[in-house]
Amino acid sequence: GAGVSQSPRYKVAKRGQDVALRCDPISGHVSLFWYQQALGQGPEFLTYFQNEAQLDKSGLPSDRFFAERPEGSVSTLKIQRTQQEDSAVYLCASRLVELGTEAFFGQGTRLTVV
Amino acid sequence: KNQVEQSPQSLIILEGKNCTLQCNYTVSPFSNLRWYKQDTGRGPVSLTIMTFSENTKSNGRYTATLDADTKQSSLHITASQLSDSASYICVVTDSGGSNYKLTFGKGTLLTVNP
């Protein structure tokens, strides 16, 4: 596609429910990132993929968060047993190569845990 | 710890007026600095990128400056338009091993009123 696509745009989950957020990066982009953006804050790094390899997951806040990119294109961020503090916008970005070039962001998924 | 501080937190101006947003950073070693515009409900979109050797760069009505000695950047918006209403985020990349992590500021929320 022309840009990074994320789905769903909005997700309301009951506390304790599992959710899966999808990211379709720009075709051919090697690098893929997930960021978490709380209301009124800048995005915070969660995890980074180079093709299908997850090279850094140091930003994932707990073991309830899991991300995968099995074929090096589409990525899924899964949150198990959601809690209210997980409410945020989850942004996905992709970049053509590992270093230097611009990262393009999707519109994000707004997750609200009630 | 790498940090990016932005000021003011929010700003309201009248259409047609100019404004300047500030960014201070402590990211080291420095690679580049970008200003992003984030409309409500959208992902961030890059406005400018500046490397260590660049002092100023323009993109239409947007002009960014960088002082690598004092680790400060500014974004000047000329002849503001209603569509400039958005959050403006300063993002700094370090040239170390974690080039992909990107350190985000919290953003300046700009409101342009008619």
Side-chain angles (χ1 to χ4, degrees):
Chain A
V4 178
S5 177
Q6 292 187 244
S7 61
R9 286 292 313 278
Y10 305 94
K11 175 69 178 177
V12 178
K14 291 184 177 179
R15 190 166 49 186
Q17 184 179 352
D18 297 349
V19 298
L21 313 180
R22 177 187 170 104
C23 173
D24 280 88
I26 294 173
S27 179
H29 277 199
V30 168
S31 299
L32 185 145
F33 318 80
W34 283 97
Y35 288 85
Q36 181 189 58
Q37 186 174 22
L39 187 65
Q41 303 292 314
E44 296 278 350
F45 171 81
L46 291 177
T47 187
Y48 163 68
F49 289 87
Q50 182 182 345
N51 294 307
E52 69 278 3
Q54 189 176 20
L55 299 187
D56 190 335
K57 54 182 180 179
S58 63
L60 297 177
S62 77
D63 58 8
R64 297 186 294 104
F65 286 71
F66 172 77
E68 60 182 2
R69 193 186 185 197
E71 298 179 357
S73 55
V74 172
S75 177
T76 303
L77 176 66
K78 298 179 180 179
I79 308 173
Q80 297 177 318
R81 305 181 303 280
T82 53
Q83 300 178 4
Q84 284 192 317
E85 60 262 31
D86 299 336
S87 296
V89 174
Y90 291 86
L91 292 166
C92 175
S94 72
R95 193 161 64 182
L96 182 60
V97 295
E98 181 182 0
L99 299 176
T101 56
E102 179 180 346
F104 293 87
F105 285 83
Q107 295 186 52
T109 293
R110 179 176 294 280
L111 172 66
T112 303
V113 181
V114 297
Chain B
K1 180 182 177 182
N2 290 339
Q3 288 189 316
V4 175
E5 302 287 340
Q6 291 188 243
S7 61
Q9 186 175 1
S10 62
L11 182 62
I12 301 174
I13 61 174
L14 292 176
E15 186 179 11
K17 297 297 185 182
N18 303 336
C19 66
T20 300
L21 314 179
Q22 301 290 343
C23 173
N24 297 337
Y25 62 92
T26 58
V27 176
S28 180
F30 175 85
S31 176
N32 61 67
L33 182 148
R34 294 181 187 271
W35 282 93
Y36 279 85
K37 179 185 180 186
Q38 186 173 23
D39 293 309
T40 300
R42 314 282 290 188
V45 175
S46 179
L47 294 174
T48 66
I49 178 173
M50 302 186 73
T51 58
F52 185 86
S53 59
E54 296 176 301
N55 299 117
T56 184
K57 183 170 285 187
S58 293
N59 177 5
R61 295 180 296 102
Y62 301 103
T63 299
T65 65
L66 174 66
D67 185 333
D69 292 331
T70 62
K71 298 186 177 180
Q72 296 180 326
S73 176
S74 66
L75 179 69
H76 186 74
I77 303 175
T78 303
S80 61
Q81 301 176 359
L82 298 179
S83 59
D84 292 334
S85 295
S87 181
Y88 291 84
I89 305 176
C90 177
V91 185
V92 182
T93 304
D94 68 66
S95 58
S98 60
N99 176 278
Y100 46 84
K101 281 191 176 178
L102 305 181
T103 303
F104 287 77
K106 293 184 178 180
T108 292
L109 181 61
L110 175 65
T111 302
V112 180
N113 287 331

